[in-house]
Amino acid sequence: MGDKNATLSVGGNSYELPVFEGSVGPDVIDIRKLYGQSKMFTYDPGYTSTASCESALTYIDGEEGVLLHRGYPIGQLAESSNFTEVSYLLLNGELPDKETLDKFNWTISRHTMLHEQLIQFYRGFRRDAHPMAIMCGVVGALSAFYHDSTDISDPEHRRISSHRLIAKMPTIAAMAYKYSIGQPFLYPDNSLSYTGNFMRMTFGVPAEPYELHPAVERAMDRIFILHADHEQNASTSTVRLAGSSGANPFACIAAGIACLWGPAHGGANEAALNMLREIGTPDKIPHYIERAKDKNDPFRLMGFGHRVYKNYDPRATVMQKTVREVFDALKVDDPLFETALRLEELALHDDYFVEKKLFPNVDFYSGIILSAIGFPTTMFTALFALARTVGWVAQWNEMISDPGQKIGRPRQLYTGPTQRDYVPVENR
Ligand code: CMC
């Protein structure tokens, strides 16, 4: 942090505000004492210019299309690492050596099973329940089953609850899927990789051995890496805000899942594939591009645009490459991929999208891959939640470990009625 100051002048008064420098990225103006000094708040709905916390986990340069986890570029991690190693990195700050990574994998594998009584929870849901509805409920309910790791002031409790959440998420998501299609639940198989175990629990059946397709397992693992963390997005900020009151981690992650569900956030991959299906063939694209540009039409190109990226989302680059790998491995072809490529090309050459710097984001291609692997659209956001859980717990841990942490409590610009007297109903 540096020793620069900013001066704010309002109505003849000036206020000196400290300016802090991060290791990279924009400086921030420290306004914590502004209200005390000036009796004014700052106004920033949607937090477009507000740094809500200090963090050393993830860095995004939206103008350049850069995403780093603990300094490592997402492209390198997606190419050369795997999801549990990235999880360790996010949680602990450094890449593990071989022995440490083996121990971490072993630890995670020891927490993959759910308390048997949790299975009753699933039976209470309608068969057509959205997997995200089940995930919100079941993850929140973990608080009732794992009391031995909910003392957030104890670092060991925080470590165990983090490991539990990362380990149990694949089991919870796979069971949500199995329940929706009426197949029996499969218990985890800890001899498989984190992602391989999830694939088996999702697509396997107890009646016969499940054959993992290594290329698909690798693609799925890469998709998990691409979704592992993304700085202070809406769901992560939700987890931090929920956690700031001292709520237990299972409740906080359930809050994050609820926020992720929305179509402007994690639900966009489901919405993007539905949109591509609606568009169908490339000849219909111009009509939908015109709709997306029409201010009187609520239609937006799903999987396009991002609050932070004003350049190509680096995750979308990896995703587009992964589509081809999965198609080759499974020997499938989906004409929607051609539609998506053409839509991207047309939009990137359209003045509206160029001027507003709207590029494909991570969700534009992920639906096509997940669909080719065999997931129904309703599972897409559940997969995002599974992977993002590591980011959520790492961010939550970072916040709770900070001795200066306070409850999150934004203020407002009040525009309602000023004080007035109550009028009895007969006099109104
Ligand atoms: N299609 C058409 N116009 C768009 C789009 C789009 N996908 N995205 C933004 N715009 C326009 C928008 O109408 C606005 O125009 P104007 O300035 O004339 O009013 C301008 O671009 C800025 O949009 P905004 O809504 O103010 O920008 P934002 O930063 O608040 O929203 C966003 C970002 C991601 C919510 C938005 O781009 C969007 O709705 N995209 C589609 C949904 C989507 O793909 N979401 C996934 C995000 S990445 C995964 C994740 O983080 O969960």
PDB file of all heavy atoms in Angstrom, residues 185-201:
ATOM      1  N   PHE A 185     -29.104 -43.497  -6.391  1.00  0.00           N
ATOM      2  CA  PHE A 185     -27.883 -42.732  -6.088  1.00  0.00           C
ATOM      3  C   PHE A 185     -26.693 -43.680  -6.107  1.00  0.00           C
ATOM      4  O   PHE A 185     -26.809 -44.846  -5.721  1.00  0.00           O
ATOM      5  CB  PHE A 185     -27.964 -42.122  -4.684  1.00  0.00           C
ATOM      6  CG  PHE A 185     -29.096 -41.135  -4.514  1.00  0.00           C
ATOM      7  CD1 PHE A 185     -29.865 -41.148  -3.351  1.00  0.00           C
ATOM      8  CD2 PHE A 185     -29.390 -40.193  -5.487  1.00  0.00           C
ATOM      9  CE1 PHE A 185     -30.903 -40.237  -3.172  1.00  0.00           C
ATOM     10  CE2 PHE A 185     -30.424 -39.281  -5.319  1.00  0.00           C
ATOM     11  CZ  PHE A 185     -31.184 -39.308  -4.162  1.00  0.00           C
ATOM     12  N   LEU A 186     -25.538 -43.151  -6.523  1.00  0.00           N
ATOM     13  CA  LEU A 186     -24.305 -43.954  -6.440  1.00  0.00           C
ATOM     14  C   LEU A 186     -23.424 -43.365  -5.345  1.00  0.00           C
ATOM     15  O   LEU A 186     -23.263 -42.136  -5.284  1.00  0.00           O
ATOM     16  CB  LEU A 186     -23.544 -43.897  -7.775  1.00  0.00           C
ATOM     17  CG  LEU A 186     -23.675 -45.135  -8.661  1.00  0.00           C
ATOM     18  CD1 LEU A 186     -25.090 -45.265  -9.185  1.00  0.00           C
ATOM     19  CD2 LEU A 186     -22.698 -45.046  -9.820  1.00  0.00           C
ATOM     20  N   TYR A 187     -22.838 -44.237  -4.530  1.00  0.00           N
ATOM     21  CA  TYR A 187     -21.883 -43.740  -3.543  1.00  0.00           C
ATOM     22  C   TYR A 187     -20.584 -43.371  -4.250  1.00  0.00           C
ATOM     23  O   TYR A 187     -20.278 -43.915  -5.318  1.00  0.00           O
ATOM     24  CB  TYR A 187     -21.613 -44.810  -2.477  1.00  0.00           C
ATOM     25  CG  TYR A 187     -22.770 -44.998  -1.525  1.00  0.00           C
ATOM     26  CD1 TYR A 187     -23.564 -46.141  -1.574  1.00  0.00           C
ATOM     27  CD2 TYR A 187     -23.068 -44.021  -0.576  1.00  0.00           C
ATOM     28  CE1 TYR A 187     -24.641 -46.302  -0.710  1.00  0.00           C
ATOM     29  CE2 TYR A 187     -24.142 -44.175   0.278  1.00  0.00           C
ATOM     30  CZ  TYR A 187     -24.927 -45.320   0.219  1.00  0.00           C
ATOM     31  OH  TYR A 187     -25.985 -45.462   1.071  1.00  0.00           O
ATOM     32  N   PRO A 188     -19.789 -42.470  -3.643  1.00  0.00           N
ATOM     33  CA  PRO A 188     -18.516 -42.090  -4.285  1.00  0.00           C
ATOM     34  C   PRO A 188     -17.559 -43.274  -4.398  1.00  0.00           C
ATOM     35  O   PRO A 188     -17.631 -44.212  -3.603  1.00  0.00           O
ATOM     36  CB  PRO A 188     -17.945 -41.034  -3.323  1.00  0.00           C
ATOM     37  CG  PRO A 188     -19.042 -40.658  -2.399  1.00  0.00           C
ATOM     38  CD  PRO A 188     -20.029 -41.774  -2.379  1.00  0.00           C
ATOM     39  N   ASP A 189     -16.673 -43.217  -5.380  1.00  0.00           N
ATOM     40  CA  ASP A 189     -15.599 -44.190  -5.520  1.00  0.00           C
ATOM     41  C   ASP A 189     -14.293 -43.409  -5.423  1.00  0.00           C
ATOM     42  O   ASP A 189     -13.888 -42.723  -6.367  1.00  0.00           O
ATOM     43  CB  ASP A 189     -15.717 -44.892  -6.882  1.00  0.00           C
ATOM     44  CG  ASP A 189     -14.569 -45.870  -7.124  1.00  0.00           C
ATOM     45  OD1 ASP A 189     -13.580 -45.831  -6.348  1.00  0.00           O
ATOM     46  OD2 ASP A 189     -14.652 -46.649  -8.082  1.00  0.00           O
ATOM     47  N   ASN A 190     -13.639 -43.527  -4.259  1.00  0.00           N
ATOM     48  CA  ASN A 190     -12.463 -42.696  -4.000  1.00  0.00           C
ATOM     49  C   ASN A 190     -11.212 -43.160  -4.735  1.00  0.00           C
ATOM     50  O   ASN A 190     -10.160 -42.538  -4.610  1.00  0.00           O
ATOM     51  CB  ASN A 190     -12.190 -42.619  -2.495  1.00  0.00           C
ATOM     52  CG  ASN A 190     -13.279 -41.835  -1.786  1.00  0.00           C
ATOM     53  OD1 ASN A 190     -14.007 -41.084  -2.419  1.00  0.00           O
ATOM     54  ND2 ASN A 190     -13.406 -42.018  -0.485  1.00  0.00           N
ATOM     55  N   SER A 191     -11.332 -44.267  -5.501  1.00  0.00           N
ATOM     56  CA  SER A 191     -10.164 -44.661  -6.290  1.00  0.00           C
ATOM     57  C   SER A 191     -10.076 -43.802  -7.554  1.00  0.00           C
ATOM     58  O   SER A 191      -9.070 -43.807  -8.249  1.00  0.00           O
ATOM     59  CB  SER A 191     -10.253 -46.142  -6.675  1.00  0.00           C
ATOM     60  OG  SER A 191     -11.320 -46.337  -7.580  1.00  0.00           O
ATOM     61  N   LEU A 192     -11.155 -43.075  -7.851  1.00  0.00           N
ATOM     62  CA  LEU A 192     -11.159 -42.235  -9.051  1.00  0.00           C
ATOM     63  C   LEU A 192     -10.705 -40.820  -8.721  1.00  0.00           C
ATOM     64  O   LEU A 192     -10.670 -40.421  -7.553  1.00  0.00           O
ATOM     65  CB  LEU A 192     -12.578 -42.191  -9.643  1.00  0.00           C
ATOM     66  CG  LEU A 192     -13.160 -43.550 -10.081  1.00  0.00           C
ATOM     67  CD1 LEU A 192     -14.613 -43.396 -10.482  1.00  0.00           C
ATOM     68  CD2 LEU A 192     -12.339 -44.128 -11.228  1.00  0.00           C
ATOM     69  N   SER A 193     -10.429 -40.057  -9.781  1.00  0.00           N
ATOM     70  CA  SER A 193     -10.063 -38.643  -9.569  1.00  0.00           C
ATOM     71  C   SER A 193     -11.306 -37.896  -9.087  1.00  0.00           C
ATOM     72  O   SER A 193     -12.431 -38.403  -9.179  1.00  0.00           O
ATOM     73  CB  SER A 193      -9.588 -38.027 -10.889  1.00  0.00           C
ATOM     74  OG  SER A 193     -10.700 -37.870 -11.766  1.00  0.00           O
ATOM     75  N   TYR A 194     -11.106 -36.688  -8.617  1.00  0.00           N
ATOM     76  CA  TYR A 194     -12.225 -35.847  -8.162  1.00  0.00           C
ATOM     77  C   TYR A 194     -13.296 -35.775  -9.256  1.00  0.00           C
ATOM     78  O   TYR A 194     -14.479 -36.021  -9.018  1.00  0.00           O
ATOM     79  CB  TYR A 194     -11.676 -34.449  -7.866  1.00  0.00           C
ATOM     80  CG  TYR A 194     -12.683 -33.451  -7.339  1.00  0.00           C
ATOM     81  CD1 TYR A 194     -12.938 -33.331  -5.977  1.00  0.00           C
ATOM     82  CD2 TYR A 194     -13.363 -32.609  -8.218  1.00  0.00           C
ATOM     83  CE1 TYR A 194     -13.853 -32.390  -5.499  1.00  0.00           C
ATOM     84  CE2 TYR A 194     -14.266 -31.671  -7.742  1.00  0.00           C
ATOM     85  CZ  TYR A 194     -14.505 -31.566  -6.384  1.00  0.00           C
ATOM     86  OH  TYR A 194     -15.415 -30.646  -5.919  1.00  0.00           O
ATOM     87  N   THR A 195     -12.837 -35.472 -10.480  1.00  0.00           N
ATOM     88  CA  THR A 195     -13.785 -35.285 -11.582  1.00  0.00           C
ATOM     89  C   THR A 195     -14.308 -36.629 -12.094  1.00  0.00           C
ATOM     90  O   THR A 195     -15.488 -36.770 -12.414  1.00  0.00           O
ATOM     91  CB  THR A 195     -13.092 -34.489 -12.712  1.00  0.00           C
ATOM     92  OG1 THR A 195     -12.693 -33.235 -12.151  1.00  0.00           O
ATOM     93  CG2 THR A 195     -14.014 -34.233 -13.880  1.00  0.00           C
ATOM     94  N   GLY A 196     -13.417 -37.631 -12.143  1.00  0.00           N
ATOM     95  CA  GLY A 196     -13.845 -38.968 -12.581  1.00  0.00           C
ATOM     96  C   GLY A 196     -14.917 -39.531 -11.665  1.00  0.00           C
ATOM     97  O   GLY A 196     -15.914 -40.122 -12.115  1.00  0.00           O
ATOM     98  N   ASN A 197     -14.745 -39.313 -10.370  1.00  0.00           N
ATOM     99  CA  ASN A 197     -15.727 -39.785  -9.391  1.00  0.00           C
ATOM    100  C   ASN A 197     -17.077 -39.093  -9.627  1.00  0.00           C
ATOM    101  O   ASN A 197     -18.132 -39.730  -9.595  1.00  0.00           O
ATOM    102  CB  ASN A 197     -15.191 -39.486  -7.984  1.00  0.00           C
ATOM    103  CG  ASN A 197     -16.199 -39.796  -6.904  1.00  0.00           C
ATOM    104  OD1 ASN A 197     -16.828 -40.848  -6.926  1.00  0.00           O
ATOM    105  ND2 ASN A 197     -16.371 -38.881  -5.976  1.00  0.00           N
ATOM    106  N   PHE A 198     -17.018 -37.790  -9.919  1.00  0.00           N
ATOM    107  CA  PHE A 198     -18.270 -37.063 -10.186  1.00  0.00           C
ATOM    108  C   PHE A 198     -18.957 -37.608 -11.444  1.00  0.00           C
ATOM    109  O   PHE A 198     -20.173 -37.813 -11.468  1.00  0.00           O
ATOM    110  CB  PHE A 198     -17.984 -35.562 -10.343  1.00  0.00           C
ATOM    111  CG  PHE A 198     -19.162 -34.798 -10.848  1.00  0.00           C
ATOM    112  CD1 PHE A 198     -20.316 -34.679 -10.078  1.00  0.00           C
ATOM    113  CD2 PHE A 198     -19.161 -34.239 -12.124  1.00  0.00           C
ATOM    114  CE1 PHE A 198     -21.433 -33.994 -10.557  1.00  0.00           C
ATOM    115  CE2 PHE A 198     -20.267 -33.558 -12.606  1.00  0.00           C
ATOM    116  CZ  PHE A 198     -21.408 -33.437 -11.823  1.00  0.00           C
ATOM    117  N   MET A 199     -18.164 -37.863 -12.492  1.00  0.00           N
ATOM    118  CA  MET A 199     -18.748 -38.372 -13.744  1.00  0.00           C
ATOM    119  C   MET A 199     -19.416 -39.719 -13.499  1.00  0.00           C
ATOM    120  O   MET A 199     -20.516 -39.983 -13.987  1.00  0.00           O
ATOM    121  CB  MET A 199     -17.649 -38.565 -14.810  1.00  0.00           C
ATOM    122  CG  MET A 199     -16.868 -37.331 -15.156  1.00  0.00           C
ATOM    123  SD  MET A 199     -17.761 -36.177 -16.167  1.00  0.00           S
ATOM    124  CE  MET A 199     -17.845 -37.047 -17.693  1.00  0.00           C
ATOM    125  N   ARG A 200     -18.753 -40.569 -12.708  1.00  0.00           N
ATOM    126  CA  ARG A 200     -19.324 -41.901 -12.441  1.00  0.00           C
ATOM    127  C   ARG A 200     -20.608 -41.779 -11.623  1.00  0.00           C
ATOM    128  O   ARG A 200     -21.606 -42.441 -11.915  1.00  0.00           O
ATOM    129  CB  ARG A 200     -18.300 -42.771 -11.705  1.00  0.00           C
ATOM    130  CG  ARG A 200     -18.816 -44.172 -11.422  1.00  0.00           C
ATOM    131  CD  ARG A 200     -17.863 -44.983 -10.562  1.00  0.00           C
ATOM    132  NE  ARG A 200     -18.622 -45.980  -9.810  1.00  0.00           N
ATOM    133  CZ  ARG A 200     -19.227 -45.745  -8.661  1.00  0.00           C
ATOM    134  NH1 ARG A 200     -19.171 -44.536  -8.103  1.00  0.00           N
ATOM    135  NH2 ARG A 200     -19.901 -46.704  -8.043  1.00  0.00           N
ATOM    136  N   MET A 201     -20.578 -40.921 -10.586  1.00  0.00           N
ATOM    137  CA  MET A 201     -21.783 -40.774  -9.753  1.00  0.00           C
ATOM    138  C   MET A 201     -22.941 -40.196 -10.568  1.00  0.00           C
ATOM    139  O   MET A 201     -24.106 -40.416 -10.257  1.00  0.00           O
ATOM    140  CB  MET A 201     -21.505 -39.862  -8.548  1.00  0.00           C
ATOM    141  CG  MET A 201     -20.675 -40.525  -7.477  1.00  0.00           C
ATOM    142  SD  MET A 201     -20.622 -39.534  -5.974  1.00  0.00           S
ATOM    143  CE  MET A 201     -19.673 -38.121  -6.491  1.00  0.00           C
TER     144      MET A 201
END
